[in-house]
Amino acid sequence: MAEISDKPLVDPAPVLRGHGLRLRLWDLESEADLAAWLRGRTDPEFLRWNTPLVREQEPADARESLASHLDTAKGGMGMPFCVTDEATGATLGHVGIGVLSRPMRSGRVGYWVLPEARGRGVATLALRLAGRWAFDEFGLHRLELDHAVGHEASCRVAERCGYLYEGTARGAMWQAGRRDAFRDCHLHARLAIDPEPELP
């Protein structure tokens, strides 16, 4: 495969199941999805490690932000998965795949988990499902994952999912809550040909 597909990923959108989770496309018309998106993106722990391009403070901001993420699926440039509990349907968090280069078949992953779902391995299990889809179905060869230096929980997720540490990217991320100061990131990556790590 020379390049990944550029077809829209929303017709039909993939639904992934495994490890007690169900991953589906976020629904812009769902008030519950918008509320969960806003809650996740305004959570203090999320904002401690991330400074979003769009500063979500109210439902209208959440709609704009979520719509921009969904546009990546419509354009075949990524997939924003809503992570839910398979049994109850409760929203637990988010895992997203974004394309960095079609010709190089490379992408980037990002994720967050709602406060009440933390400590249960949700990010690790969701990333495993989404990453496998990105390699096997979407056709990526390389997935990158970066996080602010000091974000040990995110580093553990990367390691458990087989994303090897590749170095420190200097000044690659905004400082928390600022757009005029920067901080370093740790870069991890995984290839489609890498062996699948065992679950702990």
Side-chain angles (χ1 to χ4, degrees):
M1 179 186 315
E3 290 192 24
I4 60 173
S5 172
D6 60 357
K7 67 180 181 180
L9 300 175
V10 293
D11 190 24
V15 176
L16 313 183
R17 291 179 171 87
H19 313 299
L21 302 178
R22 178 175 180 264
L23 276 57
R24 60 166 175 83
L25 188 69
W26 287 88
D27 183 357
L28 192 60
E29 302 308 314
S30 165
E31 293 302 321
D33 274 19
L34 281 171
W37 182 265
L38 181 59
R39 198 157 58 90
R41 304 270 295 182
T42 56
D43 177 71
E45 186 65 11
F46 173 82
L47 293 175
R48 177 184 174 195
W49 301 110
N50 302 275
T51 304
L53 290 172
V54 176
R55 191 173 304 196
E56 298 101 330
Q57 295 178 316
E58 54 188 46
D61 303 328
R63 182 177 294 278
E64 177 186 349
S65 170
L66 181 54
S68 72
H69 281 74
L70 290 169
D71 283 344
T72 66
K74 293 175 185 174
M77 290 296 288
M79 190 68 194
F81 286 109
C82 177
V83 180
T84 67
D85 185 290
E86 174 73 34
T88 67
T91 297
L92 306 176
H94 163 80
V95 60
I97 308 289
V99 175
L100 293 174
S101 168
R102 273 202 180 109
M104 294 300 296
R105 292 166 49 202
S106 65
R108 175 174 288 146
V109 297
Y111 46 84
W112 49 260
V113 176
L114 290 170
E116 65 271 20
R118 291 179 188 144
R120 295 162 39 189
V122 169
T124 297
L125 298 173
L127 179 56
R128 280 174 171 261
L129 284 174
R132 198 72 264 153
W133 170 84
F135 291 136
D136 294 346
E137 305 298 327
F138 194 35
L140 291 179
H141 169 68
R142 174 181 166 90
L143 276 173
E144 297 182 0
L145 183 165
D146 61 4
H147 62 79
V149 171
H151 194 347
E152 297 303 324
S154 195
C155 198
R156 287 192 296 272
V157 169
E159 291 169 349
R160 289 178 188 139
C161 291
Y163 289 73
L164 301 180
Y165 172 70
E166 293 189 340
T168 299
R170 296 175 302 140
M173 199 178 210
W174 280 323
Q175 290 281 0
R178 300 180 62 177
R179 288 172 171 79
D180 61 347
F182 300 86
R183 56 183 162 180
D184 297 347
C185 292
H186 281 169
L187 174 64
H188 300 255
R190 178 174 167 78
L191 303 181
I193 58 174
D194 288 342
E196 197 73 30
E198 293 184 10
L199 281 171

